[in-house]
Structure formats: C-alpha cells, structure tokens
Amino acid sequence: MARQISYTFNKQRKVINFSYDKYHDMYEAVAAAEGIDLTRFLAMEQQVAMTAKRGAAVKNYRQQEFARMGFADIAFVREEQ
C-alpha cells in the first residue's frame, strides 16, 4: 500500500509519495523532496536524544527546526476506502 505525505513548504501545499524503504520518517522524505541537506540537523538531533530525559524533547526540537526551515503541517495522507 502506497503512502503519501502532505506538507506545506514556504506557504505552498504539496503531496509526495513515501516509502519506508527510502526514508526513516516523513521529515526526511519532505526534506529530500525539497533538496535540503539534513546532515547537521541529524547530528544535533542525536545529541538532543542523548542528553534529553524524555522523548518529547526530540520531537519538540524536530518540529521547531522544520518550522524554521519553512515546513508546516507535515502529515500522512489518509486513504479513504
């Protein structure tokens, strides 16, 4: 079953295909679709994960950084049957 991700980048709504074979999560997929290098972001995210006491810190960091990059409303598209 094919999955799709809906997101807004610089106030422009987009939908892309997603596969766990290519990407670890939807954030990596949308960054790749827009040609954004996540090397530094992933290194910092790993540091946050090592020092944080709760997983919420990593999630919060990820959401704030992607908002800073210009992304908004990143979500999987539901398939209606």
Side-chain angles (χ1 to χ4, degrees):
M1 180 187 318
R3 294 179 183 249
Q4 290 186 324
I5 299 173
S6 172
Y7 67 97
T8 304
F9 183 67
N10 292 334
K11 299 180 182 177
Q12 187 176 8
R13 194 92 177 131
K14 298 182 180 184
V15 177
I16 61 168
N17 291 324
F18 174 78
S19 172
Y20 280 110
D21 293 341
K22 275 184 121 174
Y23 306 106
H24 290 97
D25 56 28
M26 62 184 165
Y27 292 95
E28 287 185 19
V30 297
E34 298 301 330
I36 296 174
D37 181 25
L38 292 181
T39 306
R40 297 172 79 197
F41 166 79
L42 292 173
M44 186 62 179
E45 183 182 52
Q46 190 176 35
Q47 290 179 2
V48 170
M50 286 189 294
T51 58
K53 294 183 180 181
R54 299 185 182 172
V58 176
K59 182 178 178 181
N60 187 32
Y61 171 73
R62 178 174 287 209
Q63 289 175 343
Q64 287 181 351
E65 284 300 303
F66 272 80
R68 187 185 61 76
M69 290 180 217
F71 291 96
D73 304 325
I74 302 170
F76 282 112
V77 175
R78 288 196 177 265
E79 291 183 16
E80 296 189 26
Q81 296 179 358

